[in-house]
PDB file of all heavy atoms in Angstrom:
ATOM      1  N   ALA A 811       0.817  -1.212   0.000  1.00 94.00           N
ATOM      2  CA  ALA A 811       0.000   0.000   0.000  1.00 94.00           C
ATOM      3  C   ALA A 811       0.852   1.266   0.000  1.00 94.00           C
ATOM      4  O   ALA A 811       0.307   2.374   0.026  1.00 94.00           O
ATOM      5  CB  ALA A 811      -0.926  -0.002   1.217  1.00 94.00           C
ATOM      6  N   GLY A 812       2.160   1.081  -0.013  1.00 94.00           N
ATOM      7  CA  GLY A 812       3.046   2.228  -0.097  1.00 94.00           C
ATOM      8  C   GLY A 812       3.636   2.693   1.215  1.00 94.00           C
ATOM      9  O   GLY A 812       4.341   3.715   1.259  1.00 94.00           O
ATOM     10  N   VAL A 813       3.388   1.976   2.308  1.00 95.00           N
ATOM     11  CA  VAL A 813       3.994   2.344   3.590  1.00 95.00           C
ATOM     12  C   VAL A 813       5.475   1.973   3.546  1.00 95.00           C
ATOM     13  O   VAL A 813       5.820   0.833   3.216  1.00 95.00           O
ATOM     14  CB  VAL A 813       3.298   1.616   4.761  1.00 95.00           C
ATOM     15  CG1 VAL A 813       3.982   1.957   6.086  1.00 95.00           C
ATOM     16  CG2 VAL A 813       1.820   1.979   4.806  1.00 95.00           C
ATOM     17  N   PRO A 814       6.383   2.895   3.859  1.00 96.00           N
ATOM     18  CA  PRO A 814       7.818   2.583   3.829  1.00 96.00           C
ATOM     19  C   PRO A 814       8.167   1.443   4.780  1.00 96.00           C
ATOM     20  O   PRO A 814       7.573   1.306   5.860  1.00 96.00           O
ATOM     21  CB  PRO A 814       8.481   3.894   4.274  1.00 96.00           C
ATOM     22  CG  PRO A 814       7.482   4.952   3.957  1.00 96.00           C
ATOM     23  CD  PRO A 814       6.140   4.320   4.177  1.00 96.00           C
ATOM     24  N   ALA A 815       9.122   0.626   4.385  1.00 97.00           N
ATOM     25  CA  ALA A 815       9.514  -0.524   5.193  1.00 97.00           C
ATOM     26  C   ALA A 815       9.941  -0.112   6.598  1.00 97.00           C
ATOM     27  O   ALA A 815       9.638  -0.794   7.586  1.00 97.00           O
ATOM     28  CB  ALA A 815      10.642  -1.289   4.494  1.00 97.00           C
ATOM     29  N   GLU A 816      10.639   1.015   6.694  1.00 96.00           N
ATOM     30  CA  GLU A 816      11.093   1.470   8.022  1.00 96.00           C
ATOM     31  C   GLU A 816       9.918   1.735   8.942  1.00 96.00           C
ATOM     32  O   GLU A 816       9.953   1.425  10.132  1.00 96.00           O
ATOM     33  CB  GLU A 816      11.959   2.719   7.873  1.00 96.00           C
ATOM     34  CG  GLU A 816      12.539   3.207   9.195  1.00 96.00           C
ATOM     35  CD  GLU A 816      13.530   4.333   9.004  1.00 96.00           C
ATOM     36  OE1 GLU A 816      14.482   4.172   8.180  1.00 96.00           O
ATOM     37  OE2 GLU A 816      13.359   5.382   9.654  1.00 96.00           O
ATOM     38  N   ARG A 817       8.859   2.304   8.407  1.00 96.00           N
ATOM     39  CA  ARG A 817       7.693   2.607   9.227  1.00 96.00           C
ATOM     40  C   ARG A 817       6.969   1.328   9.643  1.00 96.00           C
ATOM     41  O   ARG A 817       6.420   1.247  10.748  1.00 96.00           O
ATOM     42  CB  ARG A 817       6.740   3.548   8.479  1.00 96.00           C
ATOM     43  CG  ARG A 817       7.384   4.845   8.080  1.00 96.00           C
ATOM     44  CD  ARG A 817       7.297   5.926   9.144  1.00 96.00           C
ATOM     45  NE  ARG A 817       7.490   5.581  10.519  1.00 96.00           N
ATOM     46  CZ  ARG A 817       8.639   5.793  11.185  1.00 96.00           C
ATOM     47  NH1 ARG A 817       9.701   6.276  10.581  1.00 96.00           N
ATOM     48  NH2 ARG A 817       8.708   5.515  12.469  1.00 96.00           N
ATOM     49  N   VAL A 818       6.938   0.331   8.773  1.00 97.00           N
ATOM     50  CA  VAL A 818       6.328  -0.946   9.151  1.00 97.00           C
ATOM     51  C   VAL A 818       7.080  -1.552  10.327  1.00 97.00           C
ATOM     52  O   VAL A 818       6.481  -2.057  11.284  1.00 97.00           O
ATOM     53  CB  VAL A 818       6.304  -1.916   7.956  1.00 97.00           C
ATOM     54  CG1 VAL A 818       5.788  -3.294   8.393  1.00 97.00           C
ATOM     55  CG2 VAL A 818       5.432  -1.362   6.834  1.00 97.00           C
ATOM     56  N   LEU A 819       8.398  -1.483  10.284  1.00 97.00           N
ATOM     57  CA  LEU A 819       9.206  -2.040  11.370  1.00 97.00           C
ATOM     58  C   LEU A 819       9.019  -1.276  12.674  1.00 97.00           C
ATOM     59  O   LEU A 819       8.862  -1.873  13.743  1.00 97.00           O
ATOM     60  CB  LEU A 819      10.686  -2.035  10.971  1.00 97.00           C
ATOM     61  CG  LEU A 819      11.077  -2.918   9.792  1.00 97.00           C
ATOM     62  CD1 LEU A 819      12.544  -2.714   9.444  1.00 97.00           C
ATOM     63  CD2 LEU A 819      10.804  -4.393  10.094  1.00 97.00           C
ATOM     64  N   LEU A 820       9.043   0.060  12.586  1.00 95.00           N
ATOM     65  CA  LEU A 820       9.052   0.888  13.793  1.00 95.00           C
ATOM     66  C   LEU A 820       7.663   1.191  14.340  1.00 95.00           C
ATOM     67  O   LEU A 820       7.509   1.399  15.548  1.00 95.00           O
ATOM     68  CB  LEU A 820       9.783   2.202  13.511  1.00 95.00           C
ATOM     69  CG  LEU A 820      11.258   2.070  13.104  1.00 95.00           C
ATOM     70  CD1 LEU A 820      11.859   3.437  12.860  1.00 95.00           C
ATOM     71  CD2 LEU A 820      12.051   1.305  14.162  1.00 95.00           C
ATOM     72  N   ASP A 821       6.648   1.229  13.476  1.00 95.00           N
ATOM     73  CA  ASP A 821       5.302   1.605  13.919  1.00 95.00           C
ATOM     74  C   ASP A 821       4.362   0.417  14.068  1.00 95.00           C
ATOM     75  O   ASP A 821       3.261   0.568  14.630  1.00 95.00           O
ATOM     76  CB  ASP A 821       4.677   2.602  12.937  1.00 95.00           C
ATOM     77  CG  ASP A 821       5.474   3.895  12.843  1.00 95.00           C
ATOM     78  OD1 ASP A 821       6.251   4.176  13.775  1.00 95.00           O
ATOM     79  OD2 ASP A 821       5.333   4.610  11.836  1.00 95.00           O
ATOM     80  N   LEU A 822       4.768  -0.741  13.571  1.00 96.00           N
ATOM     81  CA  LEU A 822       3.921  -1.934  13.685  1.00 96.00           C
ATOM     82  C   LEU A 822       4.619  -3.014  14.505  1.00 96.00           C
ATOM     83  O   LEU A 822       4.157  -3.383  15.586  1.00 96.00           O
ATOM     84  CB  LEU A 822       3.582  -2.477  12.292  1.00 96.00           C
ATOM     85  CG  LEU A 822       2.656  -3.704  12.291  1.00 96.00           C
ATOM     86  CD1 LEU A 822       1.229  -3.273  12.612  1.00 96.00           C
ATOM     87  CD2 LEU A 822       2.703  -4.416  10.936  1.00 96.00           C
ATOM     88  N   VAL A 823       5.764  -3.491  14.028  1.00 96.00           N
ATOM     89  CA  VAL A 823       6.432  -4.617  14.678  1.00 96.00           C
ATOM     90  C   VAL A 823       6.946  -4.234  16.062  1.00 96.00           C
ATOM     91  O   VAL A 823       6.718  -4.960  17.041  1.00 96.00           O
ATOM     92  CB  VAL A 823       7.582  -5.141  13.800  1.00 96.00           C
ATOM     93  CG1 VAL A 823       8.272  -6.314  14.496  1.00 96.00           C
ATOM     94  CG2 VAL A 823       7.057  -5.564  12.435  1.00 96.00           C
ATOM     95  N   ALA A 824       7.639  -3.107  16.176  1.00 95.00           N
ATOM     96  CA  ALA A 824       8.259  -2.736  17.451  1.00 95.00           C
ATOM     97  C   ALA A 824       7.237  -2.528  18.566  1.00 95.00           C
ATOM     98  O   ALA A 824       7.367  -3.111  19.649  1.00 95.00           O
ATOM     99  CB  ALA A 824       9.135  -1.501  17.267  1.00 95.00           C
ATOM    100  N   PRO A 825       6.185  -1.706  18.367  1.00 95.00           N
ATOM    101  CA  PRO A 825       5.224  -1.533  19.465  1.00 95.00           C
ATOM    102  C   PRO A 825       4.450  -2.806  19.789  1.00 95.00           C
ATOM    103  O   PRO A 825       4.101  -3.042  20.950  1.00 95.00           O
ATOM    104  CB  PRO A 825       4.296  -0.425  18.959  1.00 95.00           C
ATOM    105  CG  PRO A 825       4.487  -0.374  17.486  1.00 95.00           C
ATOM    106  CD  PRO A 825       5.894  -0.803  17.236  1.00 95.00           C
ATOM    107  N   ALA A 826       4.185  -3.628  18.787  1.00 96.00           N
ATOM    108  CA  ALA A 826       3.483  -4.886  19.052  1.00 96.00           C
ATOM    109  C   ALA A 826       4.347  -5.799  19.914  1.00 96.00           C
ATOM    110  O   ALA A 826       3.853  -6.447  20.847  1.00 96.00           O
ATOM    111  CB  ALA A 826       3.117  -5.574  17.738  1.00 96.00           C
ATOM    112  N   GLN A 827       5.646  -5.831  19.634  1.00 95.00           N
ATOM    113  CA  GLN A 827       6.527  -6.669  20.436  1.00 95.00           C
ATOM    114  C   GLN A 827       6.645  -6.132  21.861  1.00 95.00           C
ATOM    115  O   GLN A 827       6.745  -6.904  22.817  1.00 95.00           O
ATOM    116  CB  GLN A 827       7.905  -6.765  19.785  1.00 95.00           C
ATOM    117  CG  GLN A 827       8.809  -7.820  20.410  1.00 95.00           C
ATOM    118  CD  GLN A 827       8.239  -9.228  20.305  1.00 95.00           C
ATOM    119  OE1 GLN A 827       7.435  -9.524  19.418  1.00 95.00           O
ATOM    120  NE2 GLN A 827       8.642 -10.090  21.226  1.00 95.00           N
ATOM    121  N   ALA A 828       6.625  -4.821  22.008  1.00 94.00           N
ATOM    122  CA  ALA A 828       6.630  -4.240  23.354  1.00 94.00           C
ATOM    123  C   ALA A 828       5.387  -4.663  24.123  1.00 94.00           C
ATOM    124  O   ALA A 828       5.447  -4.985  25.318  1.00 94.00           O
ATOM    125  CB  ALA A 828       6.722  -2.718  23.272  1.00 94.00           C
ATOM    126  N   GLU A 829       4.245  -4.699  23.452  1.00 95.00           N
ATOM    127  CA  GLU A 829       3.005  -5.135  24.087  1.00 95.00           C
ATOM    128  C   GLU A 829       3.077  -6.613  24.468  1.00 95.00           C
ATOM    129  O   GLU A 829       2.550  -7.024  25.520  1.00 95.00           O
ATOM    130  CB  GLU A 829       1.819  -4.881  23.163  1.00 95.00           C
ATOM    131  CG  GLU A 829       0.485  -5.390  23.677  1.00 95.00           C
ATOM    132  CD  GLU A 829       0.054  -4.773  24.999  1.00 95.00           C
ATOM    133  OE1 GLU A 829       0.539  -3.664  25.336  1.00 95.00           O
ATOM    134  OE2 GLU A 829      -0.765  -5.395  25.694  1.00 95.00           O
ATOM    135  N   VAL A 830       3.738  -7.412  23.652  1.00 95.00           N
ATOM    136  CA  VAL A 830       3.936  -8.828  23.981  1.00 95.00           C
ATOM    137  C   VAL A 830       4.670  -8.947  25.313  1.00 95.00           C
ATOM    138  O   VAL A 830       4.291  -9.731  26.195  1.00 95.00           O
ATOM    139  CB  VAL A 830       4.727  -9.538  22.861  1.00 95.00           C
ATOM    140  CG1 VAL A 830       5.204 -10.918  23.323  1.00 95.00           C
ATOM    141  CG2 VAL A 830       3.865  -9.666  21.613  1.00 95.00           C
ATOM    142  N   GLY A 831       5.739  -8.157  25.471  1.00 92.00           N
ATOM    143  CA  GLY A 831       6.482  -8.190  26.723  1.00 92.00           C
ATOM    144  C   GLY A 831       5.643  -7.747  27.903  1.00 92.00           C
ATOM    145  O   GLY A 831       5.737  -8.328  29.002  1.00 92.00           O
ATOM    146  N   GLU A 832       4.796  -6.735  27.710  1.00 92.00           N
ATOM    147  CA  GLU A 832       3.936  -6.261  28.792  1.00 92.00           C
ATOM    148  C   GLU A 832       2.917  -7.330  29.184  1.00 92.00           C
ATOM    149  O   GLU A 832       2.616  -7.494  30.372  1.00 92.00           O
ATOM    150  CB  GLU A 832       3.219  -4.978  28.360  1.00 92.00           C
ATOM    151  CG  GLU A 832       4.127  -3.766  28.248  1.00 92.00           C
ATOM    152  CD  GLU A 832       4.772  -3.413  29.576  1.00 92.00           C
ATOM    153  OE1 GLU A 832       4.080  -3.526  30.617  1.00 92.00           O
ATOM    154  OE2 GLU A 832       5.956  -3.040  29.586  1.00 92.00           O
ATOM    155  N   ARG A 833       2.394  -8.048  28.216  1.00 94.00           N
ATOM    156  CA  ARG A 833       1.413  -9.091  28.539  1.00 94.00           C
ATOM    157  C   ARG A 833       2.062 -10.225  29.313  1.00 94.00           C
ATOM    158  O   ARG A 833       1.440 -10.807  30.213  1.00 94.00           O
ATOM    159  CB  ARG A 833       0.760  -9.608  27.253  1.00 94.00           C
ATOM    160  CG  ARG A 833      -0.137  -8.576  26.590  1.00 94.00           C
ATOM    161  CD  ARG A 833      -0.891  -9.121  25.390  1.00 94.00           C
ATOM    162  NE  ARG A 833      -1.730  -8.076  24.793  1.00 94.00           N
ATOM    163  CZ  ARG A 833      -2.615  -8.290  23.840  1.00 94.00           C
ATOM    164  NH1 ARG A 833      -2.790  -9.518  23.342  1.00 94.00           N
ATOM    165  NH2 ARG A 833      -3.326  -7.287  23.353  1.00 94.00           N
ATOM    166  N   TRP A 834       3.315 -10.538  28.979  1.00 91.00           N
ATOM    167  CA  TRP A 834       4.029 -11.540  29.785  1.00 91.00           C
ATOM    168  C   TRP A 834       4.243 -11.018  31.206  1.00 91.00           C
ATOM    169  O   TRP A 834       4.027 -11.742  32.182  1.00 91.00           O
ATOM    170  CB  TRP A 834       5.375 -11.878  29.139  1.00 91.00           C
ATOM    171  CG  TRP A 834       6.199 -12.722  30.068  1.00 91.00           C
ATOM    172  CD1 TRP A 834       6.142 -14.073  30.225  1.00 91.00           C
ATOM    173  CD2 TRP A 834       7.179 -12.252  31.001  1.00 91.00           C
ATOM    174  NE1 TRP A 834       7.019 -14.487  31.206  1.00 91.00           N
ATOM    175  CE2 TRP A 834       7.663 -13.377  31.699  1.00 91.00           C
ATOM    176  CE3 TRP A 834       7.682 -10.981  31.319  1.00 91.00           C
ATOM    177  CZ2 TRP A 834       8.638 -13.282  32.693  1.00 91.00           C
ATOM    178  CZ3 TRP A 834       8.647 -10.882  32.314  1.00 91.00           C
ATOM    179  CH2 TRP A 834       9.119 -12.019  32.976  1.00 91.00           C
ATOM    180  N   ALA A 835       4.666  -9.758  31.325  1.00 88.00           N
ATOM    181  CA  ALA A 835       4.937  -9.180  32.637  1.00 88.00           C
ATOM    182  C   ALA A 835       3.683  -9.166  33.507  1.00 88.00           C
ATOM    183  O   ALA A 835       3.760  -9.359  34.734  1.00 88.00           O
ATOM    184  CB  ALA A 835       5.496  -7.771  32.490  1.00 88.00           C
ATOM    185  N   ARG A 836       2.522  -8.938  32.905  1.00 90.00           N
ATOM    186  CA  ARG A 836       1.260  -8.920  33.657  1.00 90.00           C
ATOM    187  C   ARG A 836       0.718 -10.326  33.894  1.00 90.00           C
ATOM    188  O   ARG A 836      -0.372 -10.490  34.445  1.00 90.00           O
ATOM    189  CB  ARG A 836       0.218  -8.086  32.907  1.00 90.00           C
ATOM    190  CG  ARG A 836       0.570  -6.611  32.778  1.00 90.00           C
ATOM    191  CD  ARG A 836      -0.625  -5.793  32.298  1.00 90.00           C
ATOM    192  NE  ARG A 836      -1.113  -6.203  30.987  1.00 90.00           N
ATOM    193  CZ  ARG A 836      -0.775  -5.614  29.841  1.00 90.00           C
ATOM    194  NH1 ARG A 836       0.087  -4.597  29.846  1.00 90.00           N
ATOM    195  NH2 ARG A 836      -1.278  -6.032  28.685  1.00 90.00           N
ATOM    196  N   ASN A 837       1.463 -11.337  33.467  1.00 89.00           N
ATOM    197  CA  ASN A 837       1.068 -12.736  33.617  1.00 89.00           C
ATOM    198  C   ASN A 837      -0.185 -13.070  32.821  1.00 89.00           C
ATOM    199  O   ASN A 837      -0.914 -13.999  33.153  1.00 89.00           O
ATOM    200  CB  ASN A 837       0.866 -13.109  35.093  1.00 89.00           C
ATOM    201  CG  ASN A 837       1.013 -14.604  35.343  1.00 89.00           C
ATOM    202  OD1 ASN A 837       1.771 -15.284  34.639  1.00 89.00           O
ATOM    203  ND2 ASN A 837       0.313 -15.123  36.329  1.00 89.00           N
ATOM    204  N   GLU A 838      -0.418 -12.294  31.754  1.00 93.00           N
ATOM    205  CA  GLU A 838      -1.540 -12.586  30.865  1.00 93.00           C
ATOM    206  C   GLU A 838      -1.141 -13.605  29.806  1.00 93.00           C
ATOM    207  O   GLU A 838      -2.013 -14.316  29.287  1.00 93.00           O
ATOM    208  CB  GLU A 838      -2.011 -11.291  30.195  1.00 93.00           C
ATOM    209  CG  GLU A 838      -2.563 -10.264  31.174  1.00 93.00           C
ATOM    210  CD  GLU A 838      -2.872  -8.929  30.528  1.00 93.00           C
ATOM    211  OE1 GLU A 838      -2.772  -8.839  29.274  1.00 93.00           O
ATOM    212  OE2 GLU A 838      -3.197  -7.978  31.246  1.00 93.00           O
ATOM    213  N   TRP A 839       0.129 -13.636  29.464  1.00 94.00           N
ATOM    214  CA  TRP A 839       0.654 -14.592  28.496  1.00 94.00           C
ATOM    215  C   TRP A 839       1.732 -15.439  29.158  1.00 94.00           C
ATOM    216  O   TRP A 839       2.512 -14.938  29.993  1.00 94.00           O
ATOM    217  CB  TRP A 839       1.262 -13.871  27.288  1.00 94.00           C
ATOM    218  CG  TRP A 839       0.252 -13.393  26.289  1.00 94.00           C
ATOM    219  CD1 TRP A 839      -1.090 -13.263  26.470  1.00 94.00           C
ATOM    220  CD2 TRP A 839       0.525 -12.967  24.956  1.00 94.00           C
ATOM    221  NE1 TRP A 839      -1.673 -12.785  25.323  1.00 94.00           N
ATOM    222  CE2 TRP A 839      -0.716 -12.596  24.377  1.00 94.00           C
ATOM    223  CE3 TRP A 839       1.683 -12.868  24.193  1.00 94.00           C
ATOM    224  CZ2 TRP A 839      -0.817 -12.144  23.071  1.00 94.00           C
ATOM    225  CZ3 TRP A 839       1.585 -12.411  22.889  1.00 94.00           C
ATOM    226  CH2 TRP A 839       0.347 -12.052  22.332  1.00 94.00           C
ATOM    227  N   SER A 840       1.787 -16.692  28.760  1.00 93.00           N
ATOM    228  CA  SER A 840       2.834 -17.580  29.253  1.00 93.00           C
ATOM    229  C   SER A 840       4.137 -17.324  28.507  1.00 93.00           C
ATOM    230  O   SER A 840       4.171 -16.618  27.484  1.00 93.00           O
ATOM    231  CB  SER A 840       2.417 -19.043  29.049  1.00 93.00           C
ATOM    232  OG  SER A 840       2.383 -19.344  27.651  1.00 93.00           O
ATOM    233  N   VAL A 841       5.202 -17.925  29.003  1.00 92.00           N
ATOM    234  CA  VAL A 841       6.481 -17.842  28.308  1.00 92.00           C
ATOM    235  C   VAL A 841       6.365 -18.425  26.908  1.00 92.00           C
ATOM    236  O   VAL A 841       6.915 -17.892  25.939  1.00 92.00           O
ATOM    237  CB  VAL A 841       7.579 -18.571  29.111  1.00 92.00           C
ATOM    238  CG1 VAL A 841       8.865 -18.676  28.301  1.00 92.00           C
ATOM    239  CG2 VAL A 841       7.846 -17.843  30.425  1.00 92.00           C
ATOM    240  N   ALA A 842       5.610 -19.511  26.785  1.00 95.00           N
ATOM    241  CA  ALA A 842       5.438 -20.142  25.472  1.00 95.00           C
ATOM    242  C   ALA A 842       4.746 -19.201  24.496  1.00 95.00           C
ATOM    243  O   ALA A 842       5.135 -19.097  23.323  1.00 95.00           O
ATOM    244  CB  ALA A 842       4.650 -21.440  25.612  1.00 95.00           C
ATOM    245  N   GLN A 843       3.709 -18.498  24.956  1.00 96.00           N
ATOM    246  CA  GLN A 843       3.016 -17.539  24.087  1.00 96.00           C
ATOM    247  C   GLN A 843       3.942 -16.397  23.674  1.00 96.00           C
ATOM    248  O   GLN A 843       3.935 -15.952  22.526  1.00 96.00           O
ATOM    249  CB  GLN A 843       1.785 -16.981  24.807  1.00 96.00           C
ATOM    250  CG  GLN A 843       0.638 -17.961  24.922  1.00 96.00           C
ATOM    251  CD  GLN A 843      -0.495 -17.402  25.764  1.00 96.00           C
ATOM    252  OE1 GLN A 843      -0.343 -17.166  26.965  1.00 96.00           O
ATOM    253  NE2 GLN A 843      -1.638 -17.165  25.137  1.00 96.00           N
ATOM    254  N   GLU A 844       4.731 -15.914  24.634  1.00 95.00           N
ATOM    255  CA  GLU A 844       5.678 -14.837  24.329  1.00 95.00           C
ATOM    256  C   GLU A 844       6.700 -15.298  23.305  1.00 95.00           C
ATOM    257  O   GLU A 844       7.033 -14.564  22.360  1.00 95.00           O
ATOM    258  CB  GLU A 844       6.356 -14.372  25.623  1.00 95.00           C
ATOM    259  CG  GLU A 844       7.297 -13.199  25.459  1.00 95.00           C
ATOM    260  CD  GLU A 844       8.713 -13.625  25.129  1.00 95.00           C
ATOM    261  OE1 GLU A 844       9.094 -14.751  25.518  1.00 95.00           O
ATOM    262  OE2 GLU A 844       9.435 -12.850  24.478  1.00 95.00           O
ATOM    263  N   HIS A 845       7.204 -16.526  23.452  1.00 95.00           N
ATOM    264  CA  HIS A 845       8.188 -17.047  22.498  1.00 95.00           C
ATOM    265  C   HIS A 845       7.575 -17.203  21.109  1.00 95.00           C
ATOM    266  O   HIS A 845       8.217 -16.899  20.096  1.00 95.00           O
ATOM    267  CB  HIS A 845       8.725 -18.387  22.990  1.00 95.00           C
ATOM    268  CG  HIS A 845       9.701 -18.255  24.111  1.00 95.00           C
ATOM    269  ND1 HIS A 845      10.392 -19.331  24.634  1.00 95.00           N
ATOM    270  CD2 HIS A 845      10.120 -17.174  24.802  1.00 95.00           C
ATOM    271  CE1 HIS A 845      11.179 -18.909  25.605  1.00 95.00           C
ATOM    272  NE2 HIS A 845      11.032 -17.612  25.726  1.00 95.00           N
ATOM    273  N   ALA A 846       6.331 -17.696  21.055  1.00 96.00           N
ATOM    274  CA  ALA A 846       5.673 -17.869  19.758  1.00 96.00           C
ATOM    275  C   ALA A 846       5.489 -16.521  19.062  1.00 96.00           C
ATOM    276  O   ALA A 846       5.751 -16.381  17.855  1.00 96.00           O
ATOM    277  CB  ALA A 846       4.318 -18.563  19.943  1.00 96.00           C
ATOM    278  N   ALA A 847       5.059 -15.515  19.819  1.00 96.00           N
ATOM    279  CA  ALA A 847       4.864 -14.190  19.235  1.00 96.00           C
ATOM    280  C   ALA A 847       6.179 -13.594  18.764  1.00 96.00           C
ATOM    281  O   ALA A 847       6.247 -12.965  17.702  1.00 96.00           O
ATOM    282  CB  ALA A 847       4.200 -13.268  20.255  1.00 96.00           C
TER     283      ALA A 847
END
């Protein structure tokens, strides 16, 4: 759709991965779920 690759990495992948870590920290996700993500 024309979104620059850098923006996909920094605005999609990076914040989503940060949320993955927060869900593990809150004990909402297991270690296995965090590893899969």
Side-chain angles (χ1 to χ4, degrees):
V813 177
E816 183 173 308
R817 302 272 40 101
V818 175
L819 296 175
L820 299 180
D821 298 340
L822 182 75
V823 180
Q827 191 61 25
E829 176 60 22
V830 168
E832 289 299 321
R833 291 185 180 188
W834 171 84
R836 296 192 299 264
N837 203 30
E838 296 173 7
W839 280 16
S840 68
V841 171
Q843 287 174 295
E844 184 271 333
H845 284 185

